Amino acid sequence: MSISVGDKIPDVKVMVATSEGPQAAQTGELLGSGKVALFSVPGAFTPTCSAKHLPGFVEKAGDFKSKGVDKVVCMSVNDAFVMDAWGKNQNAGDKVVMLADGNGDFARALGLTMDGKGFGMGERSQRFSAVLENGVVKHLNVEAPGAFDVSSAEHMLGQL
């Protein structure tokens, strides 16, 4: 069953790409306080994710801050080294936290996985976005397979 508006996010161990290297974190701590704009992509360096999804959040990071968002977080079922390299490639800097859900534990706990085996990608996270306030889901936008609309930076900004 998928997480829903009003639910508290699950507390799962993940890795965060930092300038000091990968750092272990708990989603309850990382995402559980303040207002967080969380978005998830099926894979780092994939076409839509690299051309549209992450760049939109990097470009509009200041708009999120001006609307009271404390943290913008990009999640993918990739390892922290890949998320770090992708963040650098996309100039995410300190604008977007690059969260590595390497084993897919967080995506599974959210109930938002997809089967990417047909593309040689294994189990991945669905493309989605969520506005969290103190760890509680206030808005949840899950994309239809192959779509990119409701999880965009522009759509999320309209919800704030």
Side-chain angles (χ1 to χ4, degrees):
M1 177 162 231
S2 172
I3 195 162
S4 301
V5 171
D7 290 348
K8 188 164 181 63
I9 57 152
D11 189 26
V12 176
K13 181 182 174 187
V14 293
M15 300 296 283
V16 177
T18 73
S19 58
E20 293 84 40
Q23 301 291 317
Q26 290 292 132
T27 54
E29 184 178 327
L30 180 68
L31 307 171
S33 63
K35 188 179 280 191
V36 177
L38 170 67
F39 68 102
S40 183
V41 300
F45 291 105
T46 57
T48 301
C49 305
S50 290
K52 298 177 184 175
H53 211 167
L54 178 55
F57 284 90
V58 170
E59 178 184 314
K60 300 200 179 298
D63 296 340
F64 280 95
K65 296 284 185 202
S66 72
K67 291 194 175 240
V69 171
D70 300 299
K71 194 180 302 180
V72 176
V73 179
C74 174
M75 177 192 116
S76 185
V77 178
N78 287 107
D79 65 69
F81 297 103
V82 169
M83 291 301 284
D84 182 54
W86 190 40
K88 287 175 181 169
N89 174 267
Q90 294 286 320
N91 298 310
D94 61 356
K95 297 175 186 176
V96 178
V97 175
M98 302 302 285
L99 188 156
D101 184 22
N103 296 322
D105 295 337
F106 187 49
R108 270 191 300 284
L110 292 169
L112 291 171
T113 59
M114 62 166 254
D115 183 355
K117 292 177 189 146
F119 303 103
M121 296 171 66
E123 183 180 42
R124 295 293 177 122
S125 173
Q126 292 181 42
R127 186 182 306 279
F128 73 87
S129 66
V131 176
L132 310 173
E133 290 183 22
N134 296 318
V136 176
V137 179
K138 296 298 181 183
H139 297 280
L140 179 63
N141 312 296
V142 180
E143 297 285 4
F148 174 65
D149 180 40
V150 299
S151 64
S152 70
E154 294 81 6
H155 184 84
M156 283 188 77
L157 282 167
Q159 294 178 312
L160 298 172

